[in-house]
């Protein structure tokens, strides 16, 4: 008896996934046949995306790519949908590369974070990405648009499609939404030009696991021959916000005044447990953790809960991610010091240089 409801739910999810997959595959075929039109922008386009829901590290990869292009004296502009921001419908400029023109409420947390961390790189948001792109082109005349989370946005032609996979679970459970994590059928990996396995602690293990996954799903030879790169997500301390302030300041590695009291941490990202582990990897003792849904809009009450937990456990320091921090900075003042953690891409071996050169070769810029 206990298995009957679970079986019924599975049948329901199978049906929903089949319906969802049918709609997505039909849309893909219409693009392939030209029935749905793809717009070409006046400069090159690189897309950073994935085929599963959840965090694969698109934001740090987009930052890495845009920064790397800039260092090569190539002018990038980032285009993002601006998920969760009030400007998603209207669109607009988050930054001109020097001055912020939106807050995180308008832009969404990820575009605001990219705008905050990247100097000299304009960032635009809007679900009508062609309109955003044309506005950005006439204002800044970029050499390359970097399309954040663009794999499913087939209304724009792209010159390079970079697909990210979580090395631990590259294809989720193999099922389409809502039964699984796949946003579209695995066969559509054929559209990808370059694959990157993120959160890969050991390169060889990650490559072996990915190869086994592809064999299990009997993918095409084109997919099997797509170049694969591997990288880690390296946790970094971006800084500390002092109690009563809202400005991120420098972090003293000696942490004077905090002693060994540990931290109370909170986050609202796709993989909260990864953040918890990153704190431990950086030497923090996590004495309490509050996890919230991805893109959670933090309230004063949420942060007061964290502060009360710190008081009750004799902890002097709070901790959160930079993606979470931008959602409440300048809006909520904390009663405890807050350490802000970020993530940088750390490629194995020479993969970062090889990936960038591959991208540049495919772009064939003058």
């Amino acid at each position: 008896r206990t298995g009957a409801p679970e079986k019924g739910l599975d049948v329901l999810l199978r049906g929903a996934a089949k319906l969802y997959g049918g709609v997505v595959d039909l849309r893909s075929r219409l693009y392939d046949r030209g029935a749905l039109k793809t717009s070409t922008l006046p400069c090159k386009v690189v897309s950073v995306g994935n085929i599963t829901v959840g965090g694969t590290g698109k934001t740090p990869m987009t930052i890495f790519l845009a920064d790397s292009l800039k260092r090569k004296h190539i002018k990038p502009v980032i285009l993002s949908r601006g998920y969760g921001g009030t400007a998603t419908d209207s669109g607009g400029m988050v930054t001109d590369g020097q001055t912020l023109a939106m807050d995180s409420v308008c832009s969404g947390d990820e575009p605001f974070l990219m705008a905050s961390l990247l100097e000299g790189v304009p960032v635009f948001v809007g679900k009508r990405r062609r309109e955003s792109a044309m506005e950005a082109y006439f204002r800044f005349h970029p050499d390359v648009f970097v399309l954040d989370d663009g794999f499913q946005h087939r209304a724009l032609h792209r010159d390079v499609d970079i697909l990210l996979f979580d090395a631990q679970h590259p294809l989720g459970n193999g099922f389409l939404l809502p039964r699984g994590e796949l946003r579209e059928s695995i066969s559509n990996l054929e559209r990808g030009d370059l694959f990157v396995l993120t959160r890969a602690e050991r390169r060889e293990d990650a490559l072996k696991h990915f190869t086994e996954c592809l064999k299990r799903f009997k993918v095409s030879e084109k997919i099997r021959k797509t170049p694969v790169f591997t990288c880690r997500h390296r946790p970094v301390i971006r800084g500390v916000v002092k109690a009563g302030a809202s400005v991120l300041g420098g972090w003293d590695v000696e942490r004077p005044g905090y002693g060994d009291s540990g931290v109370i941490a909170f986050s609202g990202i796709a993989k909260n447990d990864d953040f918890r582990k990153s704190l431990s990897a950086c030497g923090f003792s996590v004495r309490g953790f509050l996890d919230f849904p991805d893109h959670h809009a933090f309230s004063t009450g949420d942060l007061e809960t964290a502060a009360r937990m710190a008081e009750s456990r004799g902890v002097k320091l709070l901790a959160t991610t930079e993606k979470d921090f931008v959602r409440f900075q300048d809006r909520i003042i904390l009663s405890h010091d807050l350490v802000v953690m970020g993530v940088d891409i750390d490629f194995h071996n020479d993969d970062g240089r090889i990936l960038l050169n591959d991208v540049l070769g495919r772009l064939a810029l003058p």
Side-chain angles (χ1 to χ4, degrees):
R1 289 183 181 179
T2 55
E6 293 179 3
K7 185 177 180 180
L9 177 60
D10 187 58
V11 170
L12 181 63
L13 290 175
R14 280 176 182 268
K18 186 175 182 180
L19 177 62
Y20 170 83
V23 172
V24 171
D25 286 345
L26 174 61
R27 176 178 177 271
S28 185
R29 287 196 297 272
L30 291 175
Y31 272 113
D32 291 340
R33 296 170 184 173
L36 291 177
K37 299 302 179 184
T38 298
S39 298
T40 300
L41 296 178
C43 67
K44 302 291 185 176
V45 178
V46 178
S47 168
V48 177
N50 59 9
I51 198 171
T52 57
V53 294
T56 52
K58 293 186 296 294
T59 299
M61 183 61 70
T62 300
I63 291 171
F64 163 81
L65 186 60
D67 186 60
S68 298
L69 291 171
K70 188 188 72 169
R71 292 175 185 273
K72 293 284 186 180
H73 306 291
I74 296 167
K75 295 192 296 182
V77 166
I78 293 174
L79 300 177
S80 177
R81 190 179 188 278
Y83 179 82
T86 58
T88 299
D89 291 332
S90 59
M93 183 179 72
V94 183
T95 180
D96 60 2
Q98 304 298 328
T99 305
L100 289 169
M102 290 184 186
D103 60 19
S104 63
V105 175
C106 291
S107 67
D109 50 10
E110 287 156 348
F112 187 84
L113 178 61
M114 291 186 283
S116 301
L117 293 178
L118 283 167
E119 185 177 351
V121 179
V123 178
F124 280 70
V125 293
K127 65 182 182 181
R128 292 181 290 275
R129 298 207 203 190
R130 186 181 185 280
E131 292 181 13
S132 298
M134 294 309 298
E135 179 186 351
Y137 183 77
F138 287 120
R139 291 189 66 166
F140 299 103
H141 300 287
D143 301 309
V144 179
F145 283 114
V146 180
L147 196 60
D148 171 48
D149 195 12
F151 190 61
Q152 284 75 36
H153 191 80
R154 297 194 63 186
L156 282 184
H157 166 79
R158 67 288 311 277
D159 299 278
V160 185
D161 256 309
I162 301 174
L163 268 177
L164 309 186
F165 304 83
D166 184 319
Q168 302 301 314
H169 307 284
L171 299 174
N173 60 6
F175 297 113
L176 288 160
L177 291 168
R179 191 181 181 212
E181 296 88 39
L182 289 173
R183 299 164 78 171
E184 53 185 303
S185 299
I186 292 173
S187 60
N188 290 325
L189 291 177
E190 287 197 359
R191 301 201 313 270
D193 298 303
L194 303 169
F195 295 162
V196 181
L197 305 180
T198 65
R199 297 190 176 91
E201 289 308 311
R202 294 181 178 84
R203 173 180 170 80
E204 296 307 319
D205 290 348
L207 291 173
K208 180 181 178 182
H209 181 53
F210 185 60
T211 301
E212 289 171 350
C213 285
L214 295 183
K215 286 181 179 177
R216 191 181 315 133
F217 292 104
K218 299 178 181 178
V219 300
S220 67
E221 184 178 5
K222 181 182 185 300
I223 294 173
R224 291 197 307 272
K225 289 187 175 181
T226 302
V228 183
F229 305 87
T230 66
C231 66
R232 304 178 187 88
H233 280 180
R234 177 168 54 87
V236 292
I237 301 173
R238 296 292 187 209
V240 65
V241 182
K242 293 294 186 180
S246 60
V247 179
L248 189 65
W251 173 255
D252 187 338
V253 293
E254 298 299 327
R255 297 189 299 237
Y258 299 125
D260 297 321
S261 68
V263 297
I264 298 297
F266 58 92
S267 64
I269 57 176
K271 296 187 176 181
N272 288 318
D273 197 50
D274 281 3
F275 171 51
R276 186 202 300 259
K277 292 175 182 175
S278 73
L279 286 169
S280 299
C282 287
F284 292 102
S285 174
V286 181
R287 303 293 175 83
F289 194 93
L290 299 171
D291 57 340
F292 296 89
D294 195 13
H295 299 286
H296 179 70
F298 286 94
S299 67
T300 301
D302 293 331
L303 302 188
E304 286 176 347
T305 298
R308 285 194 300 271
M309 184 181 290
E311 290 287 349
S312 67
R313 300 182 186 185
V315 174
K316 299 178 182 179
L317 187 65
L318 303 179
T320 195
T321 73
E322 58 189 354
K323 287 177 66 173
D324 293 300
F325 175 61
V326 298
R327 289 185 222 132
F328 62 82
Q329 84 178 98
D330 299 325
R331 186 170 59 85
I332 300 175
I333 303 299
L334 293 169
S335 58
H336 289 63
D337 289 2
L338 173 74
V339 65
V340 178
M341 299 289 298
V343 171
D344 286 344
I345 292 291
D346 185 12
F347 282 96
H348 292 96
N349 301 339
D350 211 18
D351 272 14
R353 183 188 64 80
I354 298 171
L355 171 69
L356 183 61
N357 287 341
D358 198 325
V359 170
L360 293 174
R362 293 170 189 270
L363 291 177
L365 292 168

